[in-house]
DNA sequence: TGTATTAGATGACGTTACGTCACCTGCAAT
DNA sequence: ATTGCAGGTGACGTAACGTCATCTAATACA
């Protein structure tokens, strides 16, 4: 029967010798053989046990709990809970990534970050976003998912869309009416982008703007103030009406 | 101007009050206002700083290092490194998931697991010992390396860059011309490293050196003096021209 | 207005999962 | 014979807080 020393196990399983000694000390993994000279020798079974420990540890389970669990759980049970854990982490990671992308875009697009905006964005992504899409029908979803700028994207449309929002904010700040030339210009560009996005489906477009008006905590969309939304409505009404 | 107490920040950003006090204690995040009664009040700026800290911490960067470079890195640089990190985690997770799945299948199919098989599978997913610094760009590494002494960074390229810069400074001090033998040698090594770094992308390489000419407060990069830059240009021109 | 209930502050000690250090031992190799 | 490892045993150190006990000021409410 094969036996391994601490050093060999250490190299093989990428844990420190100290760790092995520690595990022995706290009675988590005691090597099957211990000779008079005090040396530790690990059996194949021990290695499996170590592997179990490593997996359970990766679930951020404290060693004390692992010790209690080790003999009660089968390898399969452990693997399955590990798998579930990984899946959880995966979805967390994915929202984290979109979130980070959004922030990067925000830094790019806004000259000065306001805490309010950033914190809104962070908050939204903390309670699992992506809810806005639930307001739509299956077939509508397909189109939207691909085309709606969600700030996590780096595409041109997103940038255009956001720079338009910035321009609107600027207009509001400088008291330039939606009925002015600038407002007209903005409306035209908005319509162009929208046509692009919704591929001429005006009904869907209207519905989208309805959803837009809901609070962003609910929809998980990039937060747009009431003022801006009103401006959009008015300048578009001015053009199309 | 808005101010937040420890409790409010704690709830908002999901960190414990103890943590905030600790960060104050170690001079990592000292609240902008501290009243006679001893209470801590955080400003908007403080919140941004906290957010930066949280992100850098997620790269498993020790708090001490975070303190040293918090002011030297822009929000965007931090976000991008974070993004790199997340991408890395994602691919690690994905392989981890696949491996776990196949292990579960193995347990299902073979009544007895052989250690050899299992260990093969697990070994693959382990060896990526990236350090936090690896999530930054080449040029940012220079800054980091300089800011945080004894970084223990094994990145050969960064070391080469720094030692070359030292050599150039030495040459300037001792009035050794870029057209000299030593200058020639330096140029050759520079070109070699650059080729390595940018993998033959000369455009990117040019841009790299262009950016270097801007003041470092603007770029947030490792400051290289005019003299050194000129030396670089001259000795490279001497070789390639 | 007085009082009860918090929210906040300050030490001080505890915690986890090891790292690190000093020093000792048995054994194979030169 | 000695030298160089690979192994061992305490003992202390560490990071990033958690968790008391105790005190004080701010706020809520009767």
């Amino acid at each position: 029967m094969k036996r391994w020393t601490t050093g060999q196990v250490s190299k093989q399983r990428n844990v420190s010798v100290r760790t092995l000694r520690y595990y022995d000390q706290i009675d988590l993994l005691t090597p099957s053989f211990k000779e008079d000279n005090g040396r530790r020798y690990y059996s194949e079974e021990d290695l499996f046990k170590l592997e179990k420990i490593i997996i359970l540890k990766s679930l951020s389970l404290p060693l004390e709990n692992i010790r209690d669990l080790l003999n009660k759980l089968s390898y399969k049970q452990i693997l399955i809970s590990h798998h579930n854990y990984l899946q959880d982490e995966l979805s967390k990671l994915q929202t984290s990534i979109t979130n980070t992308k959004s922030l990067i875009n925000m830094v790019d697009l806004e000259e000065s970050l306001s805490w309010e905006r950033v914190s809104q964005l962070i908050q939204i992504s903390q309670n699992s976003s992506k809810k806005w899409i639930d307001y739509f029908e299956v077939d509508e979803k397909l189109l939207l998912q691909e085309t709606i700028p969600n700030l996590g994207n780096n595409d041109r449309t997103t940038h255009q869309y956001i720079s338009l929002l910035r321009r609107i904010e600027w207009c509001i700040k400088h008291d330039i009416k939606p009925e002015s030339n600038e407002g007209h210009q903005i409306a035209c560009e908005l319509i162009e982008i929208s046509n692009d996005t919704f591929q001429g489906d005006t009904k869907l477009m209207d519905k989208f703007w309805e959803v837009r008006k809901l609070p962003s905590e609910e929809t998980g969309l990039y937060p747009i103030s009431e003022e801006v939304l009103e401006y959009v409505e008015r300048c578009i009404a001015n053009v199309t009406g």
Side-chain angles (χ1 to χ4, degrees), chain A:
Chain A
M1 210 209 268
K2 259 190 187 169
R3 307 185 323 169
W4 292 269
T5 69
T6 47
Q8 289 166 337
V9 175
S10 162
K11 271 182 200 160
Q12 229 188 102
R13 300 285 67 237
N14 204 31
V15 293
S16 73
V17 175
R18 175 69 174 97
T19 299
L20 290 173
R21 283 204 277 262
Y22 179 63
Y23 289 175
D24 187 8
Q25 189 185 320
I26 64 169
D27 263 336
L28 176 60
L29 179 68
T30 44
S32 299
F33 316 99
K34 228 176 190 174
E35 297 204 341
D36 305 348
N37 51 24
R39 297 204 162 185
R40 279 167 259 259
Y41 293 98
Y42 294 85
S43 70
E44 185 164 311
E45 203 189 339
D46 294 337
L47 289 185
F48 271 110
K49 209 169 166 186
L50 176 59
E51 205 47 53
K52 276 189 182 181
I53 292 169
I54 292 173
I55 292 176
L56 286 173
K57 203 158 73 82
S58 79
L59 309 177
S60 36
L61 227 70
L63 296 184
E64 207 189 322
N65 294 346
I66 294 180
R67 186 179 48 201
D68 300 338
L69 277 178
L70 257 187
N71 301 321
K72 309 199 176 173
L73 289 179
S74 73
Y75 215 89
K76 193 179 173 186
Q77 284 175 311
I78 290 176
L79 283 172
I80 285 174
S81 66
H82 185 54
H83 184 251
N84 291 339
Y85 171 78
L86 291 176
Q87 289 292 355
D88 270 18
E89 287 296 296
L90 185 65
S91 68
K92 265 198 263 174
L93 242 184
Q94 275 160 348
T95 62
S96 201
I97 285 176
T98 36
N99 186 13
T100 308
K101 277 190 197 163
S102 308
L103 270 176
I104 291 174
N105 272 336
M106 249 171 121
V107 176
D108 264 356
L109 294 169
E110 311 201 20
E111 56 280 17
S112 75
L113 285 174
S114 91
W115 176 249
E116 256 181 294
R117 281 184 175 284
V118 174
S119 96
Q120 263 182 319
L121 200 83
I122 293 171
Q123 227 124 46
I124 287 168
S125 68
Q126 265 172 0
N127 17 291
S128 75
S129 60
K130 264 192 174 175
K131 274 184 178 172
W132 61 271
I133 201 146
D134 294 331
Y135 290 94
F136 296 90
E137 306 296 324
V138 194
D139 51 337
E140 293 170 338
K141 279 186 187 175
L142 282 173
L143 174 63
L144 289 174
Q145 216 144 27
E146 307 232 317
T147 50
I148 289 299
N150 63 358
L151 249 196
N153 294 339
N154 222 355
D155 52 34
R156 225 184 63 254
T157 328
T158 312
H159 285 234
Q160 286 181 323
Y161 188 67
I162 288 176
S163 91
L164 270 177
L165 291 179
R166 285 296 97 75
R167 264 166 72 194
I168 293 173
E169 277 171 5
W170 189 87
C171 285
I172 292 173
K173 203 167 141 202
H174 293 79
D175 208 31
I176 293 168
K177 297 272 177 293
E179 292 76 20
S180 66
N181 270 347
E182 176 73 8
H184 184 83
Q185 183 63 28
I186 288 175
C188 290
E189 290 188 37
L190 253 173
I191 290 169
E192 208 188 307
I193 298 180
S194 294
N195 273 337
D196 234 46
T197 311
F198 299 106
Q199 292 166 7
D201 189 339
T202 46
K203 253 192 209 163
L204 184 57
M205 184 175 141
D206 288 347
K207 195 171 168 191
F208 180 73
W209 281 103
E210 285 305 312
V211 172
R212 269 260 58 142
K213 287 184 209 155
L214 299 172
S216 60
E217 304 95 63
E218 212 167 299
T219 59
L221 286 164
Y222 182 74
I224 297 178
S225 69
E226 293 264 349
E227 278 180 316
V228 172
L229 280 173
E230 205 199 310
Y231 197 100
V232 168
E233 288 210 334
R234 275 176 61 192
C235 70
I236 285 190
N238 190 46
V239 170
T240 60

